[in-house]
Amino acid sequence: MSSTPLALFVGLPNPVLSDEEFALFRETNPLGLFVGRRNQREPEQTKRLIERFREAVGRDDAPVFTDQEGGRVQHLDAGPWPLFRSFGQFAELARRDFALGKKALRLSSQAMGAMMTELGLSSGCSPVLDLVFETTSAVIGARSFGPDPDVIAALGPEVIDGLLEAGNMPVMKHIPGHGRATLDSHKERPVVDASRVTLAATDFKPFVALKDTPWAMVAHVVYSAYDKERPASVSPVMHDVIRNEMGYEGVLISDCIFMESLSGTLPERVRQVLDAGFDIALHSHGDVRESEAAAKAARPLTDAALKRIAAGTARLGNLKVDVRAAHRQVEDMFASALVS
């Protein structure tokens, strides 16, 4: 096993790590694991799965991510876990009472972060900083705070700081912005034809405002004003835009490479992401054979990526939160403002 992890997150089909998967991960040393709803049945099982992955790669701090935004995108939605509200609902509360909306969002983020940290999960891949318009693909919807980049830039820090305080890594997505995409990148290749001026004033704006977020997930969206052919996640041009024009210096991880916006075989997709200059390819689905193919195509993390990861980890706090009490308090805030 290489001492430097591969620039790759792997996924699993089941809630238990098989002996074959354990051996593969021990041999190849992927940076991290992405677990979905299918992998998480209840707290003790989730903890055991995470511990076993970390044992396989030989790193107690190996990152394990999930999708846990609130609303319809929360993979901790079974058993004893409380259900959290969507960003769209917090935006509605903020429209009624901006200070109360920010307070509720911060507390909810702390509670969600503490819940994940207690399980051993490193991140819920949140917040979503995409704008949403009438034409936006339904894949975003209430995951967004709305159409106003200034409102998103004002609410986003409550999520980012709340998660950091609770020891959980925020990952802003989907940089540089999925809001003008009218197609779902899970199924098709969206093309955004807006001008550079328009993008800078709208979709890009929240990501620039919150560019000190330690991690960001890159969209599988074509921005034709910059690169007419390639989605951002596999475009060297868009990598340069994000790094140089937008000024983002944190960790850049692709959205899941299984999504149909990309083309080519799984190994080709891994190489496309890394060849474009991004730090990490996210392979969040698949079986052991697919994980093996992805690992063979990946390469060790660069020194620059390792420094970015370390810088983000150094910002994690250890705030202790009574998750259920905080969740009830948030619900009381919504009730007081008569927001359903």
Side-chain angles (χ1 to χ4, degrees):
M1 179 172 68
S2 169
S3 59
T4 301
L6 292 178
L8 179 71
F9 269 65
V10 291
L12 300 169
N14 300 306
V16 176
L17 194 70
S18 71
D19 290 343
E20 189 176 13
E21 288 162 337
F22 186 95
L24 174 65
F25 299 154
R26 169 154 287 186
E27 177 187 357
T28 58
N29 193 17
L31 171 65
L33 174 69
F34 191 96
V35 290
R37 187 176 285 109
R38 65 190 176 279
N39 307 121
Q40 302 175 99
R41 303 289 174 79
E42 52 88 18
E44 291 309 311
Q45 170 269 320
T46 299
K47 289 178 183 178
R48 286 195 301 272
L49 175 62
I50 293 169
E51 289 168 358
R52 187 157 163 79
F53 172 75
R54 288 174 171 155
E55 180 186 353
V57 297
R59 287 177 282 116
D60 291 340
D61 61 349
V64 180
F65 287 9
T66 191
D67 267 330
Q68 183 70 14
E69 302 165 5
R72 65 181 172 84
V73 180
Q74 48 187 325
H75 287 175
L76 298 171
D77 64 354
W81 292 309
L83 297 178
F84 293 84
R85 289 180 178 263
S86 70
F87 293 142
Q89 289 175 301
F90 283 102
E92 175 60 26
L93 178 60
R95 280 191 285 273
R96 303 281 185 94
D97 184 329
F98 203 75
L100 183 65
K102 291 180 69 174
K103 182 179 179 180
L105 182 58
R106 181 66 154 262
L107 185 58
S108 182
S109 300
Q110 290 171 339
M112 195 183 300
M115 182 179 77
M116 288 187 282
T117 300
E118 165 63 22
L119 291 168
L121 289 164
S122 312
S123 176
C125 294
S126 180
V128 174
L129 301 184
D130 303 313
L131 279 64
V132 66
F133 307 101
E134 289 184 3
T135 56
T136 300
S137 167
V139 73
I140 300 299
R143 299 168 67 190
S144 168
F145 288 115
D148 188 331
D150 293 323
V151 170
I152 295 173
L155 293 177
E158 302 304 327
V159 183
I160 293 162
D161 293 342
L163 291 171
L164 283 171
E165 288 161 355
N168 208 254
M169 186 63 69
V171 180
M172 61 178 183
K173 60 190 187 189
H174 306 82
I175 198 170
H178 207 295
R180 292 187 184 275
T182 60
L183 302 177
D184 180 354
S185 55
H186 290 82
K187 302 173 183 177
E188 302 174 85
R189 175 172 292 182
V191 177
V192 169
D193 289 324
S195 70
R196 297 186 183 196
V197 171
T198 296
L199 289 169
T202 55
D203 294 61
F204 292 7
K205 195 172 181 180
F207 296 98
V208 173
L210 303 178
K211 63 184 179 182
D212 65 339
T213 308
W215 286 59
M217 182 176 288
V218 187
H220 295 320
V221 175
V222 173
Y223 303 89
S224 63
Y226 294 94
D227 187 331
K228 295 183 181 299
E229 302 295 330
R230 292 169 294 194
S233 55
V234 295
S235 168
V237 175
M238 291 310 300
H239 172 268
D240 290 346
V241 169
I242 293 168
R243 289 291 189 209
N244 300 323
E245 292 188 25
M246 299 176 71
Y248 184 68
E249 297 179 352
V251 182
L252 286 170
I253 183 171
S254 74
D255 207 341
C256 178
I257 61 173
F258 266 77
M259 292 163 64
E260 293 305 313
S261 177
L262 301 187
S263 58
T265 65
L266 181 64
E268 287 170 345
R269 295 179 186 197
V270 171
R271 286 191 288 266
Q272 287 168 20
V273 169
L274 301 181
D275 287 347
F278 296 105
D279 296 314
I280 303 161
L282 171 59
H283 155 61
S284 64
H285 294 75
D287 58 23
V288 68
R289 297 280 77 83
E290 289 167 321
S291 292
E292 183 177 22
K296 287 180 178 178
R299 63 193 69 146
L301 287 161
T302 65
D303 289 343
L306 287 166
K307 289 177 182 177
R308 292 182 189 114
I309 292 168
T313 302
R315 294 177 59 187
L316 294 173
N318 58 1
L319 178 70
K320 304 304 178 188
V321 180
D322 183 328
V323 174
R324 292 199 171 277
H327 185 263
R328 286 194 299 270
Q329 190 176 346
V330 170
E331 289 303 305
D332 289 344
M333 293 177 187
F334 275 87
S336 72
L338 301 177
V339 177
S340 60

